Amino acid sequence: MSFSGQLFDNASPDGSGERLSEGAVLFHGRLSEQAEAILEAIRTVEREAPFRHLVTPGGHRMSVAMTSCGELGWMTDRKGYRYTASDPDSERPWPPMPTLLSDLAGSAAEDAGFPEYRPDACLINRYRPGAKLSLHQDKDEQDYSHPVVSFSLGLPATFLWGGFRRADKPKRLLLEHGDVLVWGGPDRLRYHGILPLPEGEHPLLGERRINLTFRKAG
Ligand code: SIN
Ligand code: FE2
């Protein structure tokens, strides 16, 4: 899906993606071939750190179920949003980030114009129909010079691509199975979110969408 009124070249530096704005590139279907291997990697993570519905500081139970891998994992509870080195449920370190995942994230970042990307956190979100993620900024990381890399698998979802204030009207784009979205540089702090996931049945994931977001958090 393209945006109208673009002022920039509509291609990523390596030509395989669609540039959404100066620091954001969407690679359609980039992961299609690796999807099963990625799902297997996620299964190894969830065996140690199962998906759970976290509670926001305001006391709201999130409709998206989450887990993490890497040196740091993102979490929220009544005390606030933050990264931790261990899973608060098991009190063990988060499972290591599978090399397959960090390699794929690094090469996507590079092709989007962010070389030498070494994520230390991967948040894994699981959406069932009806689950959503309200507009937010990813701003619990220490250094915003590193991009966020997002992988989408399973049912398609409408991604809200906002501005720099919550009130800015977001554009909408469809994120489908195998899509990779990279946002960094001047777009790093854009508001973004996911509309309630429509009902559906995906051949590989059934009634689910899985999204992974890689960050350099520490
Ligand atoms: C996120 O913002 O953490 C996830 C976005 C998505 O599910 O595509
Ligand atoms: Fe986010």
Side-chain angles (χ1 to χ4, degrees):
M1 186 182 285
S2 313
F3 295 139
S4 53
Q6 287 166 267
L7 298 171
F8 32 77
D9 190 0
N10 185 19
S12 59
D14 80 330
S16 69
E18 178 189 355
R19 190 170 283 285
L20 304 179
S21 62
E22 201 183 328
V25 179
L26 173 58
F27 299 94
H28 295 278
R30 181 177 173 116
L31 304 169
S32 311
E33 308 265 290
Q34 292 98 341
E36 302 210 23
I38 296 170
L39 291 173
E40 187 51 43
I42 294 169
R43 280 192 282 272
T44 65
V45 170
E46 71 173 300
R47 274 197 285 271
E48 275 186 67
F51 285 97
R52 75 288 309 260
H53 293 270
L54 298 171
V55 174
T56 64
H60 168 74
R61 178 185 185 266
M62 296 185 77
S63 56
V64 179
M66 299 179 169
T67 186
S68 281
C69 61
E71 285 157 52
L72 294 170
W74 184 85
M75 64 156 293
T76 171
D77 59 16
R78 295 302 297 234
K79 289 188 234 143
Y81 304 116
R82 61 195 179 278
Y83 283 94
T84 58
S86 52
D87 176 348
D89 283 1
S90 67
E91 297 179 352
R92 290 194 308 261
W94 291 104
M97 195 184 304
T99 316
L100 170 73
L101 301 184
S102 47
D103 286 353
L104 288 170
S107 75
E110 174 149 20
D111 290 346
F114 301 97
E116 310 290 329
Y117 182 58
R118 302 267 178 279
D120 56 10
C122 172
L123 173 67
I124 310 175
N125 292 326
R126 187 189 67 201
Y127 298 76
R128 304 257 188 215
K132 66 178 174 84
L133 200 59
S134 310
L135 275 181
H136 66 278
Q137 293 169 295
D138 287 5
K139 57 172 190 188
D140 301 318
E141 300 75 29
Q142 300 204 344
D143 177 355
Y144 303 139
S145 69
H146 305 284
V148 175
V149 175
S150 142
F151 292 179
S152 292
L153 295 171
L155 291 176
T158 301
F159 185 75
L160 301 172
W161 179 238
F164 299 100
R165 290 169 308 177
R166 190 184 298 278
D168 294 341
K169 189 173 186 309
K171 290 170 177 159
R172 294 175 174 209
L173 64 142
L174 195 65
L175 290 183
E176 297 179 283
H177 181 70
D179 287 356
V180 176
L181 179 61
V182 179
W183 68 93
D187 293 308
R188 177 63 179 74
L189 287 176
R190 275 187 191 270
Y191 277 87
H192 58 278
I194 292 283
L195 288 185
L197 190 75
E199 300 280 342
E201 182 76 29
H202 186 271
L204 214 53
L205 279 121
E207 290 185 303
R208 285 181 300 165
R209 169 178 189 259
I210 300 260
N211 172 267
L212 298 90
T213 41
F214 299 86
R215 303 92 186 270
K216 173 80 182 81

